[in-house]
Amino acid sequence: MRRFSRTATRSPSCRRYRAAEAVGCERHSDVRLLTSPFAPAEEIASFARAKPESGGVVSFIGQVREGDGVEALELQHYEPLTLPAMEKLAVSVHRRWDLDGVLIVHRSGVMVPGDPIVLVAAAARHRRDAFAAADFAMDHLKSESWFWKREKRGGEWHWIEPREQDFDDIARWG
Amino acid sequence: MRRFSRTATRSPSCRRYRAAEAVGCERHSDVRLLTSPFAPAEEIASFARAKPESGGVVSFIGQVREGDGVEALELQHYEPLTLPAMEKLAVSVHRRWDLDGVLIVHRSGVMVPGDPIVLVAAAARHRRDAFAAADFAMDHLKSESWFWKREKRGGEWHWIEPREQDFDDIARWG
Amino acid sequence: MSLNLVFLGRLEDVAGSGKLSVPVLPCIDAVIDSLDPSLGQALKAPRVKLAVNGILVQDTDAPVLKDGDEIAFLPPVSGG
Amino acid sequence: MSLNLVFLGRLEDVAGSGKLSVPVLPCIDAVIDSLDPSLGQALKAPRVKLAVNGILVQDTDAPVLKDGDEIAFLPPVSGG
């Protein structure tokens, strides 16, 4: 599988990005697009440890489901669009709720059942903010992110079309 | 600090409890009341790994907040009531949403800022169920659990009264 | 021949201890009346719940107490 | 003197490759028309979006293309 990112002129992938530095108006966002496996629980541990002022940390781990006959899943990204859009999402989440930090980590490339795909975490003084922020971020990642997905079943790859459910989810946020 | 649990005649604390064995109608609940520190991220990692059929795992980590002048926090439990009520909560969460698993871990005893207090995790095929289940479980743990809390500020312990916000939170669930 | 009283939360401070062993008396009201009046008053506060041997009881249940029973006095919980 | 075409998602299968280098033509319509008709038709589907050098463009923007430009054809995303 080729990576189109090679042709891009924007930010390199797999690097740690702090929205604060680029956007100038938001703090404590950590947004990463990874092309190799990661350990969500370790990310959550260090994220929570770094937010001792937060009473609550809500996290979502999305992993490749086992048992639907899916042998592998591939997410394709387009470097000039995918990471910048994730960074924008982190900024809008920060603006919408009172948060101490937002973490968004997303895989690209080929994954097998059990592999983590995505991790979103939100740290807040009050848990209501953290729950809503993580929920909102996931809905938007699922429906609006620049990722193209295909699944391997019975040795054959099939591209996945957008799910109507994803649009319903995002409509909840008005 | 004495532990009243010594006087109780019911289940010993700190043990792993599987609601399935006791209740007979629900599967995959793991409910624990701990009197010593725990590592929430490691719990999340093993919980997610044990649910490969789940697309999503939502977790909430509550930790003692740093920076409000709180030197220490103590949660007191009453063994004959506290753990059984947590187990009942896990069962009701399982009944209310379509889940592959529920994890509830709660500390009792003295904690300092940064220490984890509570971990709730829900694994589900669809993330909406996992988010709602974790949110619901936290609201009910916060407002209905048999825990008494006191904070140490300036060397003095003060008991914490119930928060009205907690009752508002629980009212959301109808 | 004794009852074990357990005081949770702020009631522990009022009682001066989380536990107290008292002689057996037939009903909870009699037990409360045998205690220091300021403690008795705190235990009778409207939002204090009672558990006997780990079972929540209503005032109207008026269980007959016997040797070794544990009576827990539970003020409003402050949450997890 | 060439343009770099990038095909995402299922368009990669239609194109037979994720990338294609083609001679410079002044506008996107001309580029599409120079391709295999079945690919051209897929690229003109209503929900396929376009990015030129990483910037999303509307049909009406009609950028003037130059050597080395990257044109990405983006079918509907399938989500993260």
Side-chain angles (χ1 to χ4, degrees):
Chain A
M1 180 59 207
R2 281 151 290 96
R3 288 265 65 79
F4 301 129
S5 52
R6 307 277 187 280
T7 67
T9 54
R10 291 224 192 143
S11 50
S13 72
C14 307
R15 75 194 168 80
R16 179 171 288 248
Y17 178 87
R18 298 211 165 266
E21 293 158 21
V23 179
C25 60
E26 303 294 340
R27 298 168 309 143
H28 306 307
S29 289
D30 181 355
V31 179
R32 283 173 269 163
L33 176 59
L34 306 178
T35 53
S36 54
F38 71 108
E42 287 175 26
E43 299 292 344
I44 294 170
S46 57
F47 179 72
R49 202 163 37 233
K51 311 288 176 209
E53 74 280 17
S54 298
V57 174
V58 171
S59 61
F60 175 87
I61 300 171
Q63 54 191 13
V64 183
R65 263 204 298 260
E66 204 167 70
D68 297 328
V70 174
E71 293 145 23
L73 177 105
E74 180 178 5
L75 283 178
Q76 211 177 61
H77 73 281
Y78 181 55
E79 183 70 23
L81 298 178
T82 311
L83 184 61
M86 290 166 61
E87 291 160 351
K88 264 194 190 169
L89 175 60
V91 169
S92 76
V93 168
H94 247 304
R95 286 196 177 136
R96 192 159 176 149
W97 287 282
D98 188 9
L99 304 175
D100 298 318
V102 171
L103 172 65
I104 301 177
V105 182
H106 211 300
R107 270 296 308 276
S108 182
V110 176
M111 290 157 272
V112 296
D115 279 356
I117 305 169
V118 58
L119 167 65
V120 162
R125 189 172 170 88
H126 302 295
R127 72 178 184 286
R128 182 79 34 243
D129 289 320
F131 268 108
D135 197 3
F136 176 96
M138 276 311 304
D139 278 356
H140 285 73
L141 276 173
K142 279 287 186 181
S143 58
E144 295 184 336
S145 289
W146 293 102
F147 287 108
W148 295 269
K149 192 190 297 186
R150 57 179 189 168
E151 291 177 350
K152 194 177 184 180
R153 295 169 183 271
E156 301 261 336
W157 285 101
H158 304 276
W159 290 102
I160 307 298
E161 295 297 316
R163 292 171 59 235
E164 287 307 316
Q165 177 64 40
D166 292 334
F167 296 109
D168 292 348
D169 286 343
I170 208 169
R172 297 187 305 140
W173 300 101
Chain B
M1 181 58 208
R2 281 150 291 93
R3 288 267 64 79
F4 301 128
S5 51
R6 306 281 185 274
T7 68
T9 54
R10 291 227 192 141
S11 51
S13 73
C14 307
R15 74 194 168 82
R16 179 171 288 246
Y17 178 87
R18 299 211 164 265
E21 293 160 21
V23 180
C25 61
E26 304 293 341
R27 298 167 306 143
H28 307 305
S29 288
D30 181 354
V31 179
R32 281 173 271 163
L33 177 58
L34 306 178
T35 52
S36 55
F38 72 109
E42 287 174 26
E43 299 291 345
I44 294 169
S46 58
F47 180 72
R49 203 162 38 232
K51 311 288 177 210
E53 73 281 16
S54 298
V57 174
V58 171
S59 60
F60 176 86
I61 301 170
Q63 54 191 14
V64 183
R65 263 203 299 259
E66 203 166 71
D68 296 329
V70 174
E71 293 145 23
L73 179 108
E74 180 179 4
L75 283 177
Q76 211 178 59
H77 72 282
Y78 181 56
E79 184 70 23
L81 297 179
T82 311
L83 184 60
M86 288 167 61
E87 291 160 350
K88 264 194 192 170
L89 175 60
V91 169
S92 75
V93 168
H94 247 304
R95 285 195 178 136
R96 192 160 177 148
W97 287 281
D98 187 9
L99 304 175
D100 298 318
V102 171
L103 172 66
I104 301 177
V105 182
H106 211 300
R107 270 296 309 274
S108 183
V110 176
M111 290 156 274
V112 296
D115 279 357
I117 305 169
V118 58
L119 166 65
V120 162
R125 188 171 170 88
H126 302 294
R127 73 179 184 285
R128 182 78 35 244
D129 288 320
F131 267 109
D135 198 4
F136 176 95
M138 276 311 304
D139 278 356
H140 286 74
L141 276 173
K142 279 288 185 180
S143 58
E144 295 184 335
S145 290
W146 293 103
F147 287 108
W148 294 269
K149 193 189 297 186
R150 56 178 188 170
E151 290 177 351
K152 194 177 185 180
R153 294 168 183 272
E156 300 262 334
W157 285 101
H158 305 276
W159 290 102
I160 307 299
E161 295 298 316
R163 292 172 58 235
E164 287 308 315
Q165 177 65 39
D166 292 334
F167 296 109
D168 292 346
D169 287 343
I170 209 169
R172 297 187 306 139
W173 301 100
Chain C
M1 295 290 284
S2 65
L3 300 173
N4 300 311
L5 308 188
V6 176
F7 307 107
L8 277 298
R10 58 181 168 73
L11 295 176
E12 177 184 347
D13 292 352
V14 182
S17 166
K19 278 173 68 180
L20 194 61
S21 188
V22 299
V24 174
L25 286 168
C27 72
I28 291 169
D29 280 345
V31 172
I32 292 175
D33 289 341
S34 74
L35 301 171
D36 179 272
S38 68
L39 175 57
Q41 193 173 12
L43 300 181
K44 284 195 261 191
R47 294 177 72 193
V48 172
K49 295 179 180 173
L50 287 180
V52 176
N53 297 329
I55 308 292
L56 282 173
V57 296
Q58 305 295 330
D59 289 349
T60 51
D61 290 350
V64 175
L65 301 173
K66 59 186 191 307
D67 183 38
D69 280 352
E70 174 169 299
I71 306 171
F73 296 90
L74 315 158
V77 294
S78 31
Chain D
M1 295 289 284
S2 65
L3 301 171
N4 301 310
L5 308 187
V6 175
F7 307 108
L8 277 297
R10 59 181 167 73
L11 294 177
E12 177 185 347
D13 292 352
V14 182
S17 167
K19 278 174 63 180
L20 193 63
S21 188
V22 298
V24 174
L25 284 168
C27 72
I28 291 169
D29 281 346
V31 171
I32 292 175
D33 289 340
S34 74
L35 301 171
D36 180 273
S38 67
L39 176 57
Q41 195 173 9
L43 300 182
K44 284 194 262 190
R47 296 177 70 192
V48 172
K49 294 179 180 172
L50 288 180
V52 176
N53 297 330
I55 307 292
L56 282 173
V57 296
Q58 306 293 330
D59 290 349
T60 49
D61 289 351
V64 175
L65 301 173
K66 58 186 190 305
D67 184 39
D69 280 354
E70 174 170 297
I71 307 171
F73 296 91
L74 315 158
V77 294
S78 29

